[in-house]
Amino acid sequence: MNYFSKLGIVVLSLLFLSSCEPKKKEIFFYHWKTDFELNASKKELLNTLGSEKLYTKFFDVTYSGSQKGPLPTATIQFKDSTVIGVKELVPVVYITNEVFKKMNNVSEAEQLARNISDKIERLVMRNKLTVSELQFDCDWSMATRENYFTFLKAIRTQASYQKMGNPNISATIRLHQVKYKEKTGIPPVNSGVIMFYNVGELTSEEETNSILNIETVDKYVASLEEYPLQYDVALPLFSWVAVFNQGRFKRLLNDISSSDLEKLNKEGNYYSMESSGMFAESYYLYEDDKMRYETVDERSLSQLAERIKKYAEQDFNIIYYHINSKVADEFSAKEIQQLSDKF
């Protein structure tokens, strides 16, 4: 065998090995506050991780009983005329399943697509943004599948969507929609984001952690092997407190830190106050209220990584929910990178 033949074999071998290596995962975040602002520490976090894209909730769409139809709420407010601190924003619109459940026909879904696309385009143009992706977040069901999928298809036909340069469309996907894809269907989008949080029974007093319950994840995660849509995965970096009274779920307190609970009484998985009063400076609670603190840590996310690596049949990127949380503040860029590398 001559020199050039040997050289050719070496080159081919290197190309084969490089093609077998898993693609390095990009790390992104959700921004889920109405006021858009990235302070210096957030910008540094994104820069250190090389995170050039930020999935940003532009507004919610809920069903209004008084108006008997969909109503946009919590529209994002940009404090600066020019968005600074990230290369690209991905507009995300959260739509409640009730919006699609209340529709009488698919023409209403098409009208909703027109209204939402127009509103996104106005915000994009007003703030001089360039977008390559739009994302829609809806926990659709078998009953709302037709209306929701009609809505997604209709987005592409809108003049306002085309003015934005025909960006890719992605949709969030819950674990039950992965496992029961034959019933819930595959959304007609370019890609999906599979949500690996909020998988437990929030309103059940028996639940230990509804944000990330590994036992619940185990019931669904094997279905990743057969899911046909290109996807990324969304991971939790947040905490909250579920409040119960006399065994019934009462309310949810968002973005509570462990330090807020230091002076409370603890019994099992629940905390309580000695007397009625203010909690965490913003919430009034009663003496007989019970609070279940839920969060994530390195151990639980590492366990999740083991499951996903075992069954994921494709390369994917990671989107953490969310950059505004107190839990995200507790992780350094190095720790987030090390954690992400486990996936």
Side-chain angles (χ1 to χ4, degrees):
M1 184 180 293
N2 62 35
Y3 171 78
F4 292 104
S5 297
K6 290 180 180 179
L7 180 62
I9 291 173
V10 171
V11 171
L12 288 173
S13 299
L14 290 174
L15 289 172
F16 175 76
L17 289 173
S18 64
S19 67
C20 294
E21 292 179 359
K23 174 187 172 186
K24 184 173 176 59
K25 293 172 175 53
E26 294 188 76
I27 301 171
F28 306 121
F29 290 86
Y30 281 104
H31 183 291
W32 217 250
K33 284 194 172 183
T34 301
D35 290 328
F36 183 89
E37 186 177 23
L38 292 175
N39 59 29
S41 64
K42 301 299 184 188
K43 292 177 183 178
E44 182 180 359
L45 175 67
L46 294 171
N47 183 60
T48 303
L49 292 171
S51 187
E52 298 184 336
K53 190 161 56 172
L54 190 61
Y55 287 78
T56 306
K57 183 170 73 73
F58 268 37
F59 53 92
D60 301 328
V61 179
T62 61
Y63 182 81
S64 170
S66 60
Q67 296 195 11
K68 297 182 179 180
L71 180 69
T73 61
T75 298
I76 192 168
Q77 302 295 318
F78 291 101
K79 294 195 173 183
D80 299 317
S81 58
T82 302
V83 178
I84 301 173
V86 67
K87 185 175 181 180
E88 179 186 354
L89 295 188
V90 176
V92 183
V93 177
Y94 170 72
I95 312 173
T96 65
N97 193 40
E98 186 182 15
V99 167
F100 296 102
K101 191 178 295 183
K102 294 287 187 179
M103 289 179 175
N104 297 313
N105 50 64
V106 294
S107 65
E108 293 182 17
E110 294 167 347
Q111 180 62 51
L112 179 65
R114 184 174 303 109
N115 294 341
I116 287 180
S117 178
D118 289 353
K119 185 173 176 67
I120 295 173
E121 192 261 344
R122 287 196 299 271
L123 289 166
V124 165
M125 296 304 170
R126 183 186 307 160
N127 294 285
K128 303 179 177 65
L129 304 175
T130 300
V131 297
S132 62
E133 178 184 351
L134 304 179
Q135 186 172 111
F136 297 100
D137 179 14
C138 178
D139 187 6
W140 82 93
S141 61
M142 288 175 58
T144 59
R145 166 181 169 174
E146 182 180 5
N147 287 337
Y148 181 49
F149 288 8
T150 297
F151 161 82
L152 291 172
K153 293 174 184 175
I155 287 287
R156 297 185 188 278
T157 68
Q158 305 308 313
S160 51
Y161 167 80
Q162 292 156 11
K163 284 181 183 178
M164 290 184 282
N166 300 294
N168 287 335
I169 297 178
S170 62
T172 57
I173 303 167
R174 275 67 176 174
L175 289 182
H176 71 91
Q177 292 157 346
V178 173
K179 183 172 182 177
Y180 303 110
K181 59 184 181 298
E182 292 81 7
K183 295 180 179 179
T184 58
I186 309 297
V189 293
N190 297 100
S191 62
V193 177
I194 299 178
M195 298 170 60
F196 280 91
Y197 54 88
N198 296 3
V199 297
E201 296 292 335
L202 171 65
T203 60
S204 170
E205 200 175 24
E206 305 302 317
E207 177 64 78
T208 55
N209 191 339
S210 67
I211 292 177
L212 182 54
N213 186 319
I214 296 298
E215 291 182 2
T216 303
V217 169
D218 284 338
K219 298 176 182 178
Y220 297 95
V221 69
S223 299
L224 280 180
E225 289 183 322
E226 303 171 353
Y227 201 69
L229 188 65
Q230 179 66 42
Y231 60 80
D232 291 327
V233 301
L235 306 177
L237 274 185
F238 68 97
S239 61
W240 60 30
V241 164
V243 181
F244 292 80
N245 191 285
Q246 297 182 1
R248 295 184 177 182
F249 176 76
K250 185 178 177 182
R251 63 185 300 192
L252 190 64
L253 311 181
N254 286 296
D255 208 21
I256 301 298
S257 70
S258 56
S259 61
D260 293 323
L261 307 166
E262 290 175 352
K263 296 181 180 180
L264 302 183
N265 302 318
K266 186 178 182 184
E267 184 177 345
N269 291 324
Y270 286 87
Y271 293 83
S272 62
M273 298 177 62
E274 292 184 356
S275 59
S276 301
M278 294 299 295
F279 167 69
E281 301 180 358
S282 303
Y283 307 103
Y284 189 88
L285 297 174
Y286 294 92
E287 183 180 353
D288 55 350
D289 285 339
K290 294 171 59 179
M291 294 172 282
R292 184 178 68 225
Y293 175 65
E294 300 184 358
T295 189
V296 293
D297 54 24
E298 190 273 338
R299 178 176 176 272
S300 60
L301 288 170
S302 295
Q303 290 177 328
L304 179 60
E306 292 175 4
R307 271 73 172 175
I308 295 177
K309 282 185 69 175
K310 182 177 180 180
Y311 295 107
E313 291 290 316
Q314 57 175 273
D315 292 328
F316 57 84
N317 295 316
I318 294 171
I319 312 174
Y320 286 103
Y321 179 90
H322 54 96
I323 198 169
N324 320 100
S325 73
K326 292 180 180 179
V327 175
D329 291 336
E330 296 172 1
F331 284 82
S332 67
K334 181 179 179 180
E335 289 170 330
I336 291 175
Q337 183 66 66
Q338 291 174 339
L339 182 62
S340 303
D341 288 343
K342 295 181 179 182
F343 289 82

